[in-house]
Each structure stands twice: as structure tokens, then as C-alpha cells.
Amino acid sequence: MRRFRTFRKEQATRDRYADVSVCVQDFIYPYFVVEGEGVVEPIPTMPGINRYSIDTLVKDVLEIRQLGIDKVLLFGVVSDDVKDERGTAAYAEGNLISRTVRAIKQASPETIVFTDVCLCEYTSHGHCGLLHDHDVDNDTTLPLLAEMAYQHAKAGADFVAPSAMMDGQVEAIKQRLSEAGLTTRILAYSAKYASAFYGPFRDAADSAPSFGDRKTYQMDYRTHDQGLEEIEADLEEGADWTMVKPALPYLDVIARAVERFPRIPMVAYQVSGEYSMLKAAARAGYLDERRVVYESLIAIKRAGAQYIITYYAKEYQQRWA
């Protein structure tokens, strides 16, 4: 009989044998940015998370830097009156995200800035690219994503993160950046599933599709190997880092991807629905929030993720680190 309980007899022993940990360097903290000044607008479906104008967002970035969080991911939220069929506000000169990047870099040059590259928050129809016959037209969307990434990179973004799930988007962005002489890295949303866990995010970013859904371009979660194939294709096109989204329902994909591509940094996105359901359960008294958040983050790291995009990053460092 092999005896394993000796590894668990008391806390000090358990700590000694624990071989997975979470630290502040693992976190990428997402922000929603809006136009205006002095805006801190709570998001009802995501308790503790706000929309910020550029000035208040910069103040918050300086606060999280004091907590040790040095990586942020930016999403733009624009009003309906500037949205159009082509998502022009996403890649226009002086767009919201580019201005935000410049402001962050001026206030905190050492902060590593990731920018989301997708048209869904900027189009009047809420889909991730240009439309043809009520479906996204993959190839005509690519130059617009490339231009959006270029504008962000020119503003000083450290990483651009294409999330539209258009075939060839990494290659198109890589080529546009190369033509401009920019060495900005690419974090590819390679395995992004058509998940019901995105619900609160679409409320936060005002990006719900006005018709249909995104199943023609986001991945079907009933597939086993497509995620690895998508990651491989993005790496072939020049991605520097890769991502699996959502995180907890897809730990198997994270683990298999890390095993297959061990030299590529893996990011997992603990998405809005994962965050909100933990918040709701904790507020109802069903779960111990600190313990369940820690366990979920450990599970993501144990699967092999090197970095975690999580809405819990700030609170975790404030309350539990």
C-alpha cells in the first residue's frame, strides 16, 4: 500500500508539496474604456467592475501598479451614434483605444498594454467584421483588423490581441505591422469558443449582435481538436502568444495546447460569465469567495496557462494575496 496522506497531514506539509502557485505577475487585468471625463460607471452584471473614461482609467492603472499588477487589456466602448456598418471608429486616427494607450504609457511607461482587436464593439450590427448576406465576410474584414492593430501599435501598445476569429487575421496584422516597421507583438485569441459565458461582457461592452449569433466564426465547443489546429495556424502566421477563451470550461484544451506547443506563452481568459457566477454564488452565501477564486485560478495555472486574464486580479491582490 502506498501512503499519500503523509503529504497532507498539516498545512506546512501541504504547502511544502504544493507545486502550483498563483502570483501577481500571472495577471492581466481587463478594462472597459469610454469617452468623457470623470466617468466611473459600474457594470450591473459584473459587480466591482466599471467602465472608465481615459482620465479615471489612468488613475486606476496607477493604483493597480501599486498592487504589483503590470499588465492590462483594453476594450473600447463607444456610443451607438458613432457605430456604423464598417466599425470605422475602431481604426480611425485618434481612436478611443489609441488615445487610452498613449495616456497609460505617459503616466506609467512600464505598464504592459494589450489591446483587443475586433470590430464587434464598433459596428452597428454588433458582429466582428463586415457583413455579406447576413454573415461576416472574412476576407474583406482582414484589412480593417490590420489597420486597427496598426493604430494601436503606433500609439504604443505592447501587444495587439486579435479576437475576431477571422481566418488569416494574424497574418494580415503581422504584415501590416511589418510594413510600418513596428515590432509590436501579437497575442492571438486562437481558441475562442462560441460560449454562453460571454453574456455579462456583451452587456459591459454593449456588443451584443443585433441579429443572429457568432457561431459561424467562433469555435464550436463540441469539437476536440479544432482548438489545437487554430493555435497551430496562428503560430504559423506569426503569433507570439496564444490564448484559450473561456478558461475553466476548457482546461483540457489549455493542457493539450501547452503540451503540444510548450515554448509558446499560453494565456487563459477567465471570462465575464466565470467572474459573475462566482460573484453571484458568493453574494448568496453558497460559496466562500476567497477559496473558490483561489481554487479556480490554481486550476487554470495547473492546466498550464502562464498568464490569466481575470476580472478578479485587482480584488485578489487587494484582499487575498
Side-chain angles (χ1 to χ4, degrees):
M1 178 174 60
R2 298 177 65 186
R3 296 191 178 275
F4 294 96
R5 291 183 60 196
T6 55
F7 301 131
R8 309 164 192 156
K9 295 187 70 170
E10 64 276 319
Q11 186 65 45
T13 302
R14 292 191 291 272
D15 290 343
R16 186 164 66 252
Y17 285 101
D19 57 0
V20 180
S21 61
V22 173
C23 66
V24 68
Q25 287 77 24
D26 301 333
F27 294 145
I28 302 172
Y29 191 46
Y31 279 107
F32 299 98
V33 57
V34 298
E35 296 285 7
E37 293 184 5
V39 179
V40 180
E41 182 181 18
I43 299 168
T45 53
M46 301 176 67
I49 304 301
N50 306 301
R51 300 183 189 93
Y52 295 92
S53 54
I54 295 175
D55 57 330
T56 58
L57 187 148
V58 168
K59 291 178 182 178
D60 205 78
V61 168
L62 295 176
E63 289 181 14
I64 68 169
R65 290 295 291 122
Q66 295 300 311
L67 299 172
I69 301 169
D70 64 352
K71 292 177 282 293
V72 301
L73 170 62
L74 303 179
F75 295 94
V77 183
V78 300
S79 59
D80 289 343
D81 63 328
V82 301
K83 296 180 181 181
D84 59 29
E85 291 291 311
R86 297 181 61 84
T88 307
Y91 47 86
E93 189 80 26
N95 64 80
L96 176 60
I97 292 300
S98 292
R99 285 183 278 124
T100 307
V101 172
R102 290 190 178 98
I104 292 172
K105 286 297 186 179
Q106 183 176 4
S108 180
E110 69 280 5
T111 297
I112 301 171
V113 179
F114 297 73
T115 63
D116 183 75
V117 176
C118 186
L119 298 183
C120 63
E121 291 92 0
Y122 304 91
T123 57
S124 52
H125 47 71
H127 281 277
C128 297
L130 301 185
L131 296 182
H132 179 71
D133 292 334
H134 255 47
D135 193 12
V136 169
D137 189 316
N138 190 99
D139 292 3
T140 60
T141 298
L142 296 181
L144 305 188
L145 296 175
E147 184 62 22
M148 185 179 181
Y150 163 71
Q151 292 293 338
H152 295 176
K154 185 173 67 168
D158 299 280
F159 285 82
V160 291
S163 64
M165 289 302 287
M166 297 293 107
D167 296 335
Q169 62 184 9
V170 171
E171 183 177 23
I173 290 170
K174 194 81 170 181
Q175 181 176 344
R176 181 69 178 94
L177 297 179
S178 179
E179 290 171 352
L182 295 168
T183 58
T184 309
R185 288 175 285 179
I186 299 175
L187 164 59
Y189 283 66
S190 300
K192 179 181 178 181
Y193 291 85
S195 173
F197 283 92
Y198 302 148
F201 175 93
R202 290 174 182 167
D203 174 55
D206 191 22
S207 65
S210 59
F211 64 88
D213 54 41
R214 296 173 179 157
K215 291 181 180 178
T216 64
Y217 43 98
Q218 293 179 356
M219 290 180 54
D220 190 328
Y221 52 76
R222 297 172 298 178
T223 61
H224 187 260
D225 294 326
Q226 282 185 17
L228 300 184
E229 293 167 0
E230 294 264 9
I231 291 171
E232 184 175 44
D234 281 350
L235 296 178
E236 289 173 352
E237 291 180 16
D240 299 283
W241 293 11
T242 189
M243 185 197 298
V244 173
K245 178 184 180 182
L248 283 177
Y250 302 93
L251 295 178
D252 61 317
V253 180
I254 296 170
R256 293 174 64 217
V258 170
E259 182 177 357
R260 184 164 172 180
F261 309 105
R263 297 181 181 179
I264 306 302
M266 168 60 71
V267 180
Y269 198 146
Q270 187 182 46
V271 300
S272 59
E274 297 174 75
Y275 172 84
S276 294
M277 71 179 183
L278 295 182
K279 277 290 179 188
R283 289 190 171 195
Y286 299 152
L287 297 171
D288 181 316
E289 188 174 16
R290 180 191 66 81
R291 292 177 60 193
V292 76
V293 169
Y294 182 67
E295 184 176 343
S296 67
L297 295 173
I298 286 290
I300 297 166
K301 285 294 298 292
R302 190 178 63 242
Q306 189 170 344
Y307 301 100
I308 304 172
I309 302 170
T310 175
Y311 299 96
Y312 265 113
K314 182 179 179 181
E315 183 176 7
Y316 183 89
Q317 289 302 123
Q318 286 175 328
R319 298 178 58 191
W320 305 315

